Each structure stands twice: as C-alpha cells, then as structure tokens.
C-alpha cells in the first residue's frame, strides 16, 4: 500500500503495522506512542505517519497518527473504521469501544473487540488488511496525488472563472452606484 498507493500522494505518508502478543506488558496507548516515537513513521517535518498496533492477547487495536494526519484521520473516524475493519455486522456482536484520545503523538483510537467476535468474524490479517485499505483510501481522498495535484482545490480555470464573475459583478455594482450618486446630485 505504501509503495503502490501512498507513494503517489503529496508528502508520501506511511502506514506501519505492529502486531504484538501482549504489547510487552504495557498499555496499548503507551506502547503505541513509544513505537511511534522510536521509529518516526512518516516524512520528517510533515509528521504524516500512521501506526496500527494490534494487541492480540487483549483484542485491542490502536491507530496512532502523526500531527500531520490528525485532520485527515480524526478520532471519530478512526474509532468507526477500526470497528468496521475487525467485525462484521451482526445483531449480537459485543464491542466495547475505547475513547478517542488526542495528544502525545497525535490522534489515536482504541477499540476492544470481544475475542469471540473477532475470531468468529474476521482474522487479524483480514481486519488489518481492511483497516490499512480504509485508512489509505481516506488519505488519498483527502490529499493531492501526482495524478490529481489539486484534488481538494478548484482548478485554475475554475478560479479564473470565479474571479472574472466577481469582477463583472463588482464593476456592475460600481456603475450602478455611480449613476445613483450622479442622479442624487442632479436633483
């Protein structure tokens, strides 16, 4: 995903995945932050890395983002996306959502998915693959790519048309105002 899709996005953001049996005894939030800081995911000052940590023993998934990705991957989106990626819709599923948190290394989300539900519905590899795909597509939708450098902005032609329209309206209003002043002075 990094080579095929994200390498074409402005700033070349990176998605990394760490799967751990038990996060070496640490809380998943602390472990995620520690790994994010240790490996500096993303491009330098852009701080545009994304780290997905999966704690298999506690059935926890956390997405840690750099500050450069906070607006693209807000906590609410991450919480929903993690649940979507690791579970299938069933009436009986039991999902204990963690609270989204900000600070430290950026936006993050933790979701505890009941072990039985995770095992019966999707494997870790299926859920991880889906989560990476969802996050990568969100990034490509929100950031310009090489093929579409201004994906989130109007084209130069649209801007020129807007400026021309604004200028025409402004000149029309100015002309009308001048005529009104002329008639008012004449009377």
């Amino acid at each position: 995903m990094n080579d095929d899709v994200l390498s074409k996005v402005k700033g070349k953001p990176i998605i990394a995945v760490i799967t751990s049996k038990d996060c070496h005894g640490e809380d998943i939030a602390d472990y995620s932050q520690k790994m994010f800081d240790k490996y500096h995911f993303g491009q330098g000052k852009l701080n545009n890395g994304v780290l997905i940590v999966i704690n298999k023993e506690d059935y926890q998934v956390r997405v840690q983002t750099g500050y450069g990705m906070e607006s693209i991957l807000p906590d609410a989106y991450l919480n929903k996306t993690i649940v979507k990626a690791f579970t299938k819709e069933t009436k009986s599923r039991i999902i204990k959502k963690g609270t989204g948190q900000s600070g430290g290394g950026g936006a993050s989300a933790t979701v505890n998915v009941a072990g039985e539900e995770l095992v019966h519905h999707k494997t870790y590899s299926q859920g991880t693959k889906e989560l990476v795909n969802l996050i990568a597509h969100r990034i490509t939708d929100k950031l310009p790519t090489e093929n579409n450098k201004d994906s989130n902005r109007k084209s130069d032609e649209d801007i020129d048309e807007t400026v021309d329209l604004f200028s025409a309206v402004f000149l029309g209003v100015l002309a009308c105002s001048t005529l009104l002043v002329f008639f008012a002075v004449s009377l």
Side-chain angles (χ1 to χ4, degrees):
M1 189 61 70
N2 288 326
D3 292 339
D4 294 340
V5 176
L6 296 179
S7 66
K8 297 174 180 118
V9 174
K10 184 178 180 182
K12 298 182 179 135
I14 302 275
I15 298 175
V17 178
I18 295 176
T19 303
S20 176
K21 181 179 177 186
D22 62 359
C23 291
H24 302 285
E26 293 184 60
D27 174 73
I28 193 170
D30 295 337
Y31 181 77
S32 299
Q33 185 65 55
K34 185 177 172 181
M35 294 296 103
F36 196 91
D37 292 344
K38 180 178 180 178
Y39 294 107
H40 306 286
F41 299 107
Q43 304 299 323
K45 291 181 181 179
L46 295 176
N47 202 359
N48 60 354
V50 178
L51 171 63
I52 299 168
V53 175
I54 299 167
N55 182 344
K56 293 171 85 171
E57 188 170 290
D58 293 334
Y59 308 104
Q60 293 181 327
V61 178
R62 183 174 177 90
V63 178
Q64 189 80 29
T65 65
Y67 291 116
M69 298 305 281
E70 284 183 352
S71 64
I72 294 163
L73 301 168
D75 294 343
Y77 172 80
L78 291 174
N79 274 311
K80 289 177 189 173
T81 304
I82 292 170
V83 171
K84 181 178 180 180
F86 282 91
T87 61
K88 288 184 179 176
E89 295 294 327
T90 66
K91 291 182 181 176
S92 63
R93 74 177 179 183
I94 300 167
I95 297 171
K96 180 180 170 191
K97 294 181 183 179
T99 56
Q101 302 169 14
S102 291
S108 57
T110 303
V111 174
N112 299 316
V113 182
E116 294 175 56
E117 293 293 323
L118 187 63
V119 171
H120 290 301
H121 293 296
K122 289 186 183 174
T123 65
Y124 283 105
S125 60
Q126 289 171 326
T128 303
K129 182 177 180 180
E130 188 171 337
L131 182 58
V132 168
N133 283 330
L134 290 167
I135 289 173
H137 290 296
R138 170 82 174 203
I139 292 169
T140 57
D141 287 347
K142 298 288 183 181
L143 289 175
T145 62
E146 288 177 3
N147 296 335
N148 186 5
K149 295 194 187 296
D150 295 317
S151 62
N152 298 317
R153 295 183 285 189
K154 289 184 175 185
S155 70
D156 291 339
E157 291 174 18
D158 290 340
I159 292 170
D160 290 342
E161 284 180 33
T162 303
V163 169
D164 290 344
L165 179 62
F166 179 79
S167 298
V169 169
F170 178 77
L171 290 174
V173 169
L174 184 62
C176 288
S177 298
T178 304
L179 286 173
L180 287 173
V181 169
F182 176 75
F183 285 123
V185 171
S186 300
L187 295 175

